């Protein structure tokens, strides 16, 4: 499991095993409550998105910093330093992430998932994936004029193939 290890402050040397999603802030209702006056009541959220761990700032006044840079939302990698308020955390990634399902993005609070068309145990996690799901989602975001042009383009290609087959059959 992935973990956050506090490096300073009241929580120094505390180890937090991460679940699918947890908030960090001053409120005791947070999964990781921290008594830090420079931290907002609900400051940040760390969550798993497919095979990746994400961190996002929840509109805090003092911000969330990943490796010294202020972020709104970012991907966490092993050994990253996360500063929330004046508290520093070290992120320790999962040793083993299971499953070949890949999350392409989060759209409107819903994860868009995809599976590789061909599976190879030797493929890297960030290997290029090809699927019709991606094309369908991309076309769904386009306006009507663009979709109409694509439709007529496909119709033109189909007509050209039909004409080519007819020419080959007739022997011309």
């Amino acid at each position: 499991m992935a973990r956050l290890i506090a490096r300073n402050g009241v929580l120094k040397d505390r180890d937090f095993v991460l679940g699918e999603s947890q908030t960090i802030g001053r409120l005791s209702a947070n999964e990781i409550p921290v008594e830090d006056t420079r931290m907002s009541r609900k400051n940040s959220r760390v969550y798993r998105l497919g095979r990746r761990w994400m961190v996002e700032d929840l509109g805090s006044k003092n911000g969330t910093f990943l490796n010294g840079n202020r972020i709104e939302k970012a991907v966490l990698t092993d050994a990253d330093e996360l500063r929330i308020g004046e508290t520093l955390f070290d992120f320790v990634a999962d040793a083993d992430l299971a499953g070949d399902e890949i999350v392409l993005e989060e759209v409107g609070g819903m994860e868009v998932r995809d599976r590789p068309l061909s599976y190879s145990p030797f493929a890297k996690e960030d290997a290029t994936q090809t699927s019709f799901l991606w094309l369908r989602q991309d076309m769904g975001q386009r306006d009507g004029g663009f979709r109409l042009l694509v439709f007529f383009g496909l119709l033109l290609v189909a007509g050209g193939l039909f004409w080519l087959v007819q020419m080959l059959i007739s022997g011309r």
Side-chain angles (χ1 to χ4, degrees):
M1 298 302 303
R3 302 178 328 226
L4 283 179
I5 301 169
R7 284 191 3 210
N8 68 347
V10 180
L11 301 175
K12 185 175 182 181
D13 296 326
R14 287 250 343 244
D15 191 338
F16 298 94
V17 176
L18 300 177
E20 288 297 311
S21 176
Q22 48 278 309
T23 56
I24 303 169
R26 282 193 338 254
L27 285 179
S28 60
N30 290 303
E31 287 81 7
I32 303 176
V34 183
E35 293 180 29
D36 182 341
T37 57
R38 306 294 298 311
M39 194 178 290
S40 295
R41 289 175 288 186
K42 217 173 193 181
N43 199 99
S44 306
R45 179 170 81 115
V46 176
Y47 60 99
R48 189 172 177 167
L49 187 62
R51 293 179 158 220
R52 293 197 165 97
W53 284 95
M54 305 290 293
V55 60
E56 78 176 310
D57 186 75
L58 298 175
S60 66
K61 180 181 175 185
N62 291 323
T64 301
F65 294 82
L66 181 62
N67 299 323
N69 299 313
R70 188 173 184 150
I71 56 102
E72 294 297 317
K73 186 184 235 183
V75 175
L76 288 167
T77 57
D78 193 38
D80 276 346
E81 179 186 84
L82 187 61
R83 182 170 63 84
I84 302 169
E86 290 186 357
T87 306
L88 292 173
F89 294 95
D90 286 326
F91 176 74
V92 179
D94 292 344
D96 185 4
L97 290 172
D100 60 343
E101 195 171 75
I102 297 164
V103 175
L104 297 175
E105 61 183 315
E106 187 174 336
V107 179
M110 182 181 80
E111 293 179 356
V112 179
R113 298 179 178 271
D114 195 8
R115 293 185 180 275
L117 286 179
S118 60
Y119 174 75
S120 168
F122 306 106
K124 301 264 188 252
E125 176 184 335
D126 295 327
T128 303
Q129 304 297 322
T130 307
S131 75
F132 291 108
L133 173 66
W134 171 81
L135 180 62
R136 189 183 83 217
Q137 289 168 344
D138 187 55
M139 287 300 289
Q141 296 173 359
R142 304 294 181 171
D143 64 352
F146 180 80
R147 285 189 258 175
L148 191 62
L149 284 173
V150 169
F151 173 75
F152 282 122
L154 291 173
L155 195 62
L156 186 63
V157 168
L161 288 173
F162 178 77
W163 177 80
L164 180 65
V165 168
Q166 291 299 318
M167 293 300 284
L168 289 173
I169 291 173
S170 68
R172 291 187 181 180

